[in-house]
């Protein structure tokens, strides 16, 4: 499919914004992701930053800007959250555990949607909660498909190893046992945006006593199916 609009500067700006969908990005990474020359990418990023469409994190890396959040809010409810809501309820009912969708925001992952287990012992993660990118199955998923430089940076101080992330990429799902919090287990799978990039993670979480010490063996199929359904819904909504 031809992605060119015929207006070169707009197409290049779109390439820059699409590259930032994956998270904080250096100038060198923008050049590699877009195929645009370094001086041109730098000028575009600076111009987009002037209009708050691009920003920078505390490490000086480029990120999507706050103006995009304002525009998305004005356009209506976020497509990911809207599409996730019924799927998380269905996943909760199928597994009997609390369910969440996480997005990466800088050095954290943020819960953007959830469906809590109504009764009994549960892992409560309210919408808006910021959690570490260094522990938990959702963090594994959000890091596993990053480029080499981001992968190495993300592994510094992490509770998981390169071997674990290689397994996540091979299987297409992740599990954790007490990584984020003692006694809590979780299973997560990647949600991909229309471009194919991993933009979020679908998770279930609860006490190890219920999920067992091999929660992926029990729940990976339904978690992956939910994540794939959400990915497909996002793809259709963008067509």
């Amino acid at each position: 499919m031809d992605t060119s609009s015929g207006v070169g500067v707009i197409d290049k700006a779109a390439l820059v914004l699409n590259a930032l969908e994956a998270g904080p990005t250096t100038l060198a990474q923008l050049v590699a992701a877009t195929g645009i020359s370094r001086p041109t990418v730098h000028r575009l990023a600076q111009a987009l930053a002037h209009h708050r469409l691009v920003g920078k994190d505390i490490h000086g890396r480029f990120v999507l800007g706050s103006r995009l959040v304002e525009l998305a809010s004005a356009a209506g409810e976020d497509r990911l959250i809207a599409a996730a809501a019924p799927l998380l309820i269905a996943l909760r009912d199928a597994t009997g555990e609390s369910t969440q969708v996480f997005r990466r925001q800088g050095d954290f992952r943020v819960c953007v949607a959830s469906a809590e287990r109504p009764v009994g012992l549960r892992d409560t993660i309210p919408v808006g909660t910021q959690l570490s990118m260094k522990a938990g199955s959702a963090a594994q998923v959000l890091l596993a498909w990053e480029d080499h430089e981001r992968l190495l940076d993300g592994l510094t101080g992490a509770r998981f190893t390169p071997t674990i992330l290689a397994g996540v990429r091979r299987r297409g799902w992740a599990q954790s046992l007490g990584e984020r919090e003692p006694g809590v287990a979780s299973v997560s799978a990647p949600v991909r945006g229309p471009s194919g990039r991993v933009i979020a993670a679908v998770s279930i979480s609860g006490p190890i006593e219920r999920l067992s010490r091999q929660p992926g063996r029990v729940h990976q199929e339904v978690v992956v199916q939910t994540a794939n359904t959400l990915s497909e819904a996002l793809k259709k909504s963008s067509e």
Side-chain angles (χ1 to χ4, degrees), residues 17-223:
L17 294 174
N18 287 340
L20 295 179
E21 183 182 10
T25 305
T26 65
L27 182 59
Q29 289 168 337
L30 275 181
V31 172
T34 63
I36 304 170
S37 70
R38 186 183 182 94
T40 301
V41 165
H42 187 258
R43 286 197 302 272
L44 284 170
Q46 292 297 105
L48 290 167
H50 176 77
H51 294 286
R52 294 193 298 121
L53 296 169
V54 165
K56 286 189 176 182
D57 68 7
I58 60 174
H59 302 294
R61 299 172 296 184
F62 293 104
V63 295
L64 293 175
S66 58
R67 181 61 180 149
L68 292 173
V69 177
E70 297 167 2
L71 292 172
S73 177
E77 189 176 13
D78 182 285
R79 291 201 305 270
L80 173 64
I81 297 172
L87 295 175
L88 288 182
I89 292 171
L91 180 60
R92 178 199 64 193
D93 293 345
T95 62
E97 302 298 342
S98 298
T99 60
Q100 308 88 29
V101 170
F102 290 96
R103 270 179 169 161
R104 182 172 185 175
Q105 291 185 8
D107 294 327
F108 297 94
R109 55 185 170 102
V110 178
C111 178
V112 297
S114 67
E116 296 291 350
R117 190 174 193 265
V119 295
L121 188 62
R122 58 188 181 272
D123 183 33
T124 301
I125 304 175
V127 170
T129 300
Q130 286 188 333
L131 297 176
S132 171
M133 277 292 296
K134 302 298 186 180
S137 63
Q140 294 175 28
V141 163
L142 293 171
L143 186 61
W145 283 271
E146 292 279 26
D147 63 38
H148 183 67
E149 185 176 336
R150 285 204 192 102
L151 199 63
L152 291 179
D153 183 59
L155 283 166
T156 303
R159 298 284 303 278
F160 41 79
T161 65
T163 300
I164 288 175
L165 294 189
V168 172
R169 290 191 296 274
R170 183 179 67 252
R171 297 189 307 264
W173 55 269
Q175 67 177 7
S176 68
L177 296 170
E179 273 188 12
R180 174 178 61 83
E181 184 177 338
V184 173
S186 66
V187 181
S188 299
V191 177
R192 297 181 182 274
S195 67
R197 295 177 183 272
V198 174
I199 62 168
V202 167
S203 302
I204 67 167
S205 60
I208 292 174
E209 287 78 4
R210 264 203 321 266
L211 269 74
S212 82
R213 300 200 66 83
Q214 292 185 316
R217 177 177 294 181
V218 181
H219 295 296
Q220 55 91 6
E221 185 174 351
V222 67
V223 174

